[in-house]
Amino acid sequence: MELEGRGAGGVAGGPAAGPGRSPGESALLDGWLQRGVGRGASGGEAGACRPPVRQDQDSGPDYEALPAGATVTTHMVAGAVAGILEHCVMYPVDCVKTRMQSLQPDPAARYRNVLEALWRIIRTEGLWRPMRGLNVTATGAGPAHALYFACYEKLKKTLSDVIHPGGNSHIANGAAGCVATLLHDAAMNPVEVVKQRMQMYNSPYHRVTDCVRAVWQNEGAGAFYRSYTTQLTMNVPFQAIHFMTYEFLQEHFNPQRRYNPSSHVLSGACAGAVAAAATTPLDVCKTLLNTQESLALNSNLTGHITGMASAFRTVYQVGGVTAYFRGVQARVIYQIPSTAIAWSVYEFFKYLITKRQEEWRAGK
């Protein structure tokens, strides 16, 4: 380590710092200076004397060093921005996914692939039709992802210190992702209900307020959380796979855990694709619970599909085993850029905010 400000006459009564020192004396004095304490001949404290350390300008701050580098507020702000951008950019594909998961779609809403679906929706229903419901999604995504990332980062650090002190634990990553999902889904589940009902073909709702009012009056407040247990059943394994895959890939692509945009994009995309493909059957059931498709309801004697078991049974009755994988192409296509955007934006804002905080502290 190279230190600035060394004088030839020593520091505060300590040994001389001249060029003729032996290597042992140099190491001793360097350690003494870094601790900031020098003892004079009388044995008293000479005070702190820690010169600034010259750093390599190419190396950025270690923004993974928690909690000194990043606060809970940092994670919440970065997470909120990432969540809003993720959902807004990929919303048209999400609309297609919802329609392709329909068990008994209208003949006019049968699509072969994502691009054809987008083209037909725009051509027959208008340019802005794939964006219907975006406003409520953006409103809910901000606080949901703020809680999600803040909880994940805190628990990841706490559990890793217990399970694997000083290192990275995949068990801790998966467990932190599962707990964070509880908070995220509690905030997002009502939003999902409204959003997916507005995305369906021939949806009677043109405004968010109309949909909320109709659901509340016709089905009660519980309808907004009818799919919550199924959502958790899907998202808990999804997030466990997602976070473990992301952290595993980061160990290989970015072992120093610096801000590295390409590694964040690649790791996020791969993690999202793997998790999405594995949990598609649960997503189909969640969509059914949210939308309560009228044609599918005709095959269900209870009138309302009220739980995961009922949803699984209805999906099988209507479409067989293959129905569990309806929309898998759209789901994977949605998740690859979605998680890539979420992680790259989140890591960027975390890095940016942390860097500004460090600069502010250094300038105080």
Side-chain angles (χ1 to χ4, degrees), residues 35-53:
R35 287 193 298 271
V37 178
R39 296 190 178 274
S42 60
E45 295 290 337
C49 51
R50 185 176 180 179
V53 180

Side-chain angles (χ1 to χ4, degrees), residues 1-6 30 33-34 51-56:
M1 180 179 293
E2 188 174 345
L3 298 173
E4 296 176 348
R6 286 177 178 157
D30 284 349
L33 287 171
Q34 288 179 15
V53 180
R54 184 177 297 145
Q55 296 181 349
D56 183 3

Side-chain angles (χ1 to χ4, degrees), residues 136-187:
V136 69
T137 301
T139 302
H145 281 73
L147 293 171
Y148 175 68
F149 279 107
C151 178
Y152 171 71
E153 292 281 10
K154 179 64 176 177
L155 283 178
K156 179 181 75 170
K157 178 69 168 60
T158 302
L159 294 176
S160 290
D161 287 344
V162 174
I163 299 173
H164 189 190
N168 180 41
S169 168
H170 295 303
I171 296 176
N173 299 332
C178 292
V179 176
T181 301
L182 297 176
L183 296 177
H184 173 273
D185 288 359

Side-chain angles (χ1 to χ4, degrees), residues 28-336:
L28 179 63
L29 181 59
D30 284 349
W32 174 71
L33 287 171
Q34 288 179 15
R35 287 193 298 271
V37 178
R39 296 190 178 274
S42 60
E45 295 290 337
C49 51
R50 185 176 180 179
V53 180
R54 184 177 297 145
Q55 296 181 349
D56 183 3
Q57 294 181 353
D58 293 335
S59 63
D62 186 6
Y63 78 118
E64 288 284 352
L66 302 175
T71 63
V72 172
T73 304
T74 298
H75 298 312
M76 294 187 77
V77 173
V81 175
I84 292 171
L85 285 178
E86 168 196 353
H87 285 281
C88 288
V89 171
M90 296 305 300
Y91 194 82
V93 180
D94 185 57
C95 176
V96 171
K97 176 184 73 73
T98 297
R99 293 196 180 192
M100 293 183 76
Q101 287 179 337
S102 175
L103 295 180
Q104 293 181 335
D106 187 281
R110 297 180 187 272
Y111 311 114
R112 291 191 299 271
N113 54 59
V114 175
L115 289 179
E116 186 221 11
L118 276 174
W119 168 246
R120 285 176 57 186
I121 292 172
I122 292 172
R123 183 167 53 88
T124 61
E125 302 176 50
L127 178 63
W128 298 107
R129 183 63 182 87
M131 307 302 290
R132 185 181 294 178
L134 175 62
N135 52 347
V136 69
T137 301
T139 302
H145 281 73
L147 293 171
Y148 175 68
F149 279 107
C151 178
Y152 171 71
E153 292 281 10
K154 179 64 176 177
L155 283 178
K156 179 181 75 170
K157 178 69 168 60
T158 302
L159 294 176
S160 290
D161 287 344
V162 174
I163 299 173
H164 189 190
N168 180 41
S169 168
H170 295 303
I171 296 176
N173 299 332
C178 292
V179 176
T181 301
L182 297 176
L183 296 177
H184 173 273
D185 288 359
M188 280 297 289
N189 206 85
V191 172
E192 285 286 320
V193 172
V194 175
K195 177 199 75 173
Q196 291 196 308
R197 294 199 182 204
M198 297 184 73
Q199 288 174 333
M200 292 298 288
Y201 179 74
N202 273 341
S203 172
Y205 311 112
H206 295 278
R207 292 182 298 181
V208 170
T209 53
D210 295 336
C211 183
V212 172
R213 188 181 304 111
V215 173
W216 184 284
Q217 292 175 348
N218 299 330
E219 302 174 49
F224 293 105
Y225 281 93
R226 185 180 286 134
S227 65
Y228 184 57
T229 54
T230 301
Q231 182 105 333
L232 289 178
T233 304
M234 175 187 73
N235 280 347
V236 165
F238 175 92
Q239 298 301 351
I241 296 170
H242 170 205
F243 281 114
M244 291 173 70
T245 304
Y246 179 81
E247 298 288 354
F248 172 78
L249 292 174
Q250 280 292 285
E251 286 184 351
H252 289 270
F253 298 138
N254 187 17
Q256 300 302 319
R257 294 308 179 100
R258 300 288 184 182
Y259 174 61
N260 186 333
S262 60
S263 77
H264 300 317
V265 170
L266 182 59
S267 299
C270 292
V274 172
T279 57
T280 294
L282 292 166
D283 193 44
V284 171
C285 294
K286 182 207 75 173
T287 298
L288 177 60
L289 285 166
N290 281 342
T291 60
Q292 297 288 306
E293 276 188 85
S294 58
L295 290 175
L297 286 173
N298 292 335
S299 64
N300 186 277
L301 300 178
T302 62
H304 280 295
I305 303 170
T306 56
M308 183 177 63
S310 177
F312 263 96
R313 186 166 54 251
T314 302
V315 171
Y316 183 78
Q317 288 174 351
V318 174
V321 175
T322 57
Y324 291 114
F325 293 91
R326 286 182 181 271
V328 64
Q329 179 197 47
R331 179 165 163 77
V332 172
I333 289 175
Y334 170 81
Q335 283 298 152
I336 289 176

